[in-house]
Amino acid sequence: KPPPPPATIHANFQRPDFETFHEFFLDLEDKLLDECDDYWDGNDDLVDDDEDDNNTEEDGVPIGCSITIAGFHPQWQFGCENDDTSIGTNADAAIDFEKRTPHPTISIVMSSAIDALLNDETSANCAEADDGSGRASAPATERIAASNEKILGGIGIEQLKQLFEEEVLGCPENHGQ
């Protein structure tokens, strides 16, 4: 029997609430990190900084050592990572929209791709004159987060809510049409 068309799948899909998704995401992240920690704890003699980071399960290296995951959800709220009681109780903040998507999503990125980006960024920054701001030495991810927070804050929470409702959640593709 062939699978149902995508619209049928979407119509029957029950989206997990943010708390359930967030708990699942944190459990997955912990599991991946624990597997990686256990592997390196038992294989300290294998550490080689020049080794290719594109390790796979076939190499005996757990996948958690080779990937970075990020969670996204339609009701994402920052500030929930350290205080489980705050999930779903915080007022929306502009930065929350950085990780809001029409559907719960977990992004999986090879750590080597992030390392390559950071190495390229570091090389580019070293070539530039230091302007005294400290920006050149700040990790790329911190600068990206600060930039996102500034831009989203500048747009404002009400406009972000409206844009998210109309342009993201209101998209016909998200209604199986």
Side-chain angles (χ1 to χ4, degrees):
K1 179 178 173 183
T8 305
I9 293 171
H10 290 297
N12 297 326
F13 177 72
Q14 295 295 315
R15 178 180 294 151
D17 61 75
F18 177 65
E19 183 175 353
T20 302
F21 175 80
H22 193 253
E23 286 176 27
F24 172 79
F25 173 75
L26 292 178
D27 288 346
L28 177 61
E29 185 176 53
D30 286 345
K31 183 179 186 311
L32 292 169
L33 292 173
D34 288 347
E35 285 179 352
C36 190
D37 288 344
D38 290 347
Y39 175 80
W40 290 117
D41 286 348
N43 294 291
D44 285 336
D45 57 326
L46 298 178
V47 176
D48 180 1
D49 291 335
D50 296 327
E51 187 177 317
D52 182 15
D53 287 335
N54 290 321
N55 298 316
T56 64
E57 197 69 47
E58 293 172 9
D59 299 327
V61 178
I63 191 71
C65 296
S66 303
I67 64 170
T68 300
I69 63 172
F72 301 88
H73 191 278
Q75 288 117 13
W76 187 272
Q77 289 184 331
F78 281 100
C80 299
E81 288 81 7
N82 298 320
D83 180 7
D84 290 337
T85 61
S86 68
I87 293 176
T89 60
N90 291 341
D92 284 329
I95 193 64
D96 294 336
F97 287 86
E98 178 186 47
K99 293 187 75 165
R100 291 200 177 167
T101 54
H103 303 286
T105 305
I106 295 178
S107 171
I108 303 171
V109 180
M110 294 298 296
S111 298
S112 58
I114 296 170
D115 292 343
L117 174 66
L118 293 177
N119 288 339
D120 287 348
E121 185 77 20
T122 301
S123 297
N125 285 337
C126 289
E128 297 173 4
D130 186 5
D131 64 1
S133 69
R135 275 189 14 223
S137 62
T141 54
E142 290 177 19
R143 290 195 315 274
I144 291 168
S147 176
N148 288 348
E149 190 165 11
K150 181 179 178 183
I151 291 168
L152 293 170
I155 294 171
I157 192 69
E158 292 306 318
Q159 187 173 357
L160 287 168
K161 284 181 181 180
Q162 181 181 353
L163 284 168
F164 187 74
E165 290 290 326
E166 292 174 3
E167 302 297 329
V168 177
L169 297 180
C171 179
E173 182 177 294
N174 293 320
H175 299 288
Q177 298 173 348

